[in-house]
C-alpha cells in the first residue's frame, strides 16, 4: 500500500540492513514535517494547501529571477493534483557525491532546515520563500518531477516524501525545464482541493512583481475552461492600473520611480 515503509532491501553480507546516514537524516526530516505540518505550512486547510502550491511556484519564479526562464504554467488536473512547469535549466540530475543520489532527488527529499540566513540563501530570507519544496513532497500523497535538460527527459516519483520510483529516463527531448506535479496527502491535509480563484490572485501578483514572467493557469477540472494568462510588462504600473479598474480616477497616468543600489556580497550581514 501507499506510503507504508517497505522492508529494507539493501542487506549486508550478514543479512543486516545497511542504513546510510544521509537516508536516515532525510527520513527523520520528513517525519518531523508530517508529524507537525502546521509548523511548516501554517495550517492543514485552505491556507496550508495553497502554501504548498506557492512553494513550488516560488522555485519556478527563482528560475525566472535568475534569468533562466520566462514561462510558468500551472494546471489544475482532474485527479486533484496540480502541475507547475517552467522553461528554465531543469533541476540537475547528476549523482551528488555527498549523498550518492541524483541532485533532483536530494532537492526534493532533504529538509533544508535552518539554512535560511546563510550567504547562499540570503535572497530567500527577504520574504517570499519558506519551508522548501521537500516539505511539499513530504505532505504529498505523490509527487512527480519531470526534468528536461541537455537533450534528455528524466522523471522521478515520490510518495509521502519518499522515493517511490527512482530517477528514470524519458528519452530524448529538446525541451528544457522542470515540471512538478503533486497531490496533497488527505491523510494529513483537511483540504486537498485547490481554489482556482485563490491561485489566480496569487499568480497575478507574482506576474506584476516579475514583469519578465508569463504565467498561465488552466483549470482542467471545469469543462471548457479558458487558460488565464498573467503577463505584465509594465510591472508595478500595471498593478496600479489593475487596482484602478472601474474606479473614478483623480490621475489617469500612473507614474513610477525606480532606483538601484548595490548590495555588498555579504548581503549586509555583519
Ligand atoms: C516547475 C516547478 C518549480 C527549478 C532549477 C534549476 C536549478 C536548480 C531548480 O538547482 C540547486 C542543486 C545541486 C547545483 C541550478 C539548474 C544550477 C544549474 C539549476 C522549479 C544546484 C538546484 N542548473 N529550476 N534548481 N542545486 N524550477 N520549478 O523548481 O546542483 S528548481
Amino acid at each position: 500500500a501507499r506510503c507504508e515503509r517497505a522492508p529494507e532491501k539493501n542487506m549486508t553480507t550478514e543479512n543486516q540492513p545497511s542504513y546510510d546516514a544521509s537516508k536516515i537524516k532525510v527520513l527523520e526530516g520528513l517525519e518531523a514535517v508530517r508529524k507537525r505540518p502546521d509548523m511548516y505550512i501554517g495550517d492543514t486547510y485552505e491556507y496550508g494547501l495553497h502554501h504548498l502550491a506557492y512553494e513550488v511556484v516560488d522555485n519556478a519564479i527563482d528560475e525566472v529571477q535568475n534569468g533562466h526562464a520566462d514561462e510558468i504554467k500551472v494546471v489544475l488536473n482532474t485527479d486533484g493534483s496540480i502541475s507547475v512547469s517552467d522553461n528554465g535549466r531543469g533541476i540537475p540530475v547528476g549523482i551528488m557525491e555527498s549523498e550518492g543520489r541524483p541532485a533532483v532527488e536530494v532537492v526534493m527529499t532533504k529538509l533544508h532546515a535552518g539554512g535560511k540566513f546563510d550567504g547562499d540563501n540570503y535572497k530567500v530570507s527577504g520574504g517570499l520563500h519558506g519551508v522548501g519544496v521537500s516539505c511539499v513532497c513530504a505532505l504529498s500523497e505523490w509527487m512527480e518531477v519531470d526534468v528536461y535538460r541537455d537533450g534528455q527527459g528524466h522523471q522521478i516519483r515520490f510518495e509521502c516524501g519518499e522515493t517511490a520510483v527512482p530517477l528514470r529516463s524519458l528519452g530524448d527531448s529538446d525541451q528544457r525545464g522542470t515540471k512538478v506535479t503533486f497531490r496533497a496527502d488527505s491523510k494529513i491535509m483537511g483540504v486537498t482541493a485547490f481554489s482556482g480563484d485563490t491561485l489566480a490572485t496569487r499568480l497575478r501578483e507574482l506576474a506584476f512583481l516579475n514583469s519578465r514572467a508569463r504565467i498561465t493557469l488552466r483549470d482542467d477540472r471545469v469543462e471548457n475552461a479558458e487558460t488565464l494568462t498573467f503577463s505584465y510588462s509594465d510591472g508595478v504600473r500595471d498593478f496600479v492600473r489593475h487596482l484602478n479598474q472601474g474606479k473614478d480616477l483623480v490621475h489617469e497616468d500612473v507614474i513610477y520611480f525606480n532606483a538601484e543600489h548595490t548590495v555588498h556580497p555579504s548581503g549586509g550581514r555583519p
Side-chain angles (χ1 to χ4, degrees), residues 55-63 66 68 72-73 83-94 96 103-104 106-108 112 133 145-146 149 177-181:
E55 199 64 37
V56 176
V57 170
D58 282 352
N59 283 347
I61 289 284
D62 266 2
E63 198 63 358
N66 289 329
H68 300 287
I72 299 172
K73 296 181 184 169
S83 298
V84 180
S85 54
D86 68 51
N87 62 347
R89 292 167 295 179
I91 305 177
V93 292
M96 284 179 80
V104 58
V106 174
V107 166
M108 293 297 151
H112 291 76
V133 73
V145 183
D146 299 359
R149 53 184 278 140
T178 304
K179 178 179 177 185
V180 174
T181 303

Side-chain angles (χ1 to χ4, degrees), residues 26-261:
V26 161
L27 293 176
E28 281 172 354
L30 294 177
E31 206 169 319
V33 176
R34 289 177 64 85
K35 210 181 262 176
R36 302 206 193 291
D38 302 21
M39 291 265 293
Y40 297 85
I41 60 168
D43 72 26
T44 50
Y45 301 95
E46 272 90 355
Y47 177 88
L49 176 71
H50 290 87
H51 194 119
L52 298 179
Y54 302 157
E55 199 64 37
V56 176
V57 170
D58 282 352
N59 283 347
I61 289 284
D62 266 2
E63 198 63 358
V64 171
Q65 288 179 348
N66 289 329
H68 300 287
D70 59 9
E71 186 138 342
I72 299 172
K73 296 181 184 169
V74 179
V75 179
L76 293 163
N77 301 306
T78 52
D79 64 0
S81 66
I82 183 171
S83 298
V84 180
S85 54
D86 68 51
N87 62 347
R89 292 167 295 179
I91 305 177
V93 292
I95 304 288
M96 284 179 80
E97 228 157 278
S98 53
E99 323 278 333
R101 294 165 191 275
V104 58
E105 183 173 353
V106 174
V107 166
M108 293 297 151
T109 56
K110 202 168 174 178
L111 199 62
H112 291 76
K116 270 193 185 182
F117 301 102
D118 67 24
D120 217 29
N121 293 311
Y122 72 92
K123 240 179 59 183
V124 168
S125 60
L128 274 184
H129 297 255
V131 294
V133 73
S134 60
C135 290
V136 182
C137 192
L139 300 175
S140 294
E141 177 191 317
W142 57 267
M143 172 183 272
E144 276 180 4
V145 183
D146 299 359
V147 171
Y148 297 93
R149 53 184 278 140
D150 302 325
Q152 294 278 310
H154 312 264
Q155 186 176 67
I156 185 166
R157 179 181 168 97
F158 308 93
E159 290 174 10
C160 307
E162 294 183 37
T163 307
V165 182
L167 193 70
R168 66 187 184 92
S169 173
L170 293 177
D172 292 347
S173 170
D174 45 25
Q175 278 189 74
R176 217 174 53 102
T178 304
K179 178 179 177 185
V180 174
T181 303
F182 71 92
R183 195 175 137 76
D185 190 348
S186 59
K187 293 193 294 303
I188 292 174
M189 304 298 289
V191 174
T192 58
F194 291 98
S195 153
D197 287 345
T198 300
L199 289 169
T201 300
R202 176 71 181 146
L203 295 175
R204 181 181 290 110
E205 290 169 355
L206 286 170
F208 284 131
L209 291 169
N210 296 275
S211 55
R212 276 186 311 192
R214 184 177 177 276
I215 307 178
T216 61
L217 172 62
R218 197 178 80 221
D219 191 345
D220 281 348
R221 302 169 306 178
V222 298
E223 292 277 323
N224 309 316
E226 52 181 318
T227 300
L228 301 176
T229 301
F230 308 114
S231 176
Y232 302 104
S233 55
D234 257 354
V236 170
R237 281 174 94 185
D238 280 330
F239 181 50
V240 174
R241 290 185 190 118
H242 174 77
L243 296 174
N244 283 349
Q245 266 175 36
K247 306 260 167 63
D248 264 338
L249 299 180
V250 179
H251 305 290
E252 277 293 333
D253 285 346
V254 180
I255 61 163
Y256 86 115
F257 301 89
N258 182 28
E260 283 181 31
H261 73 284

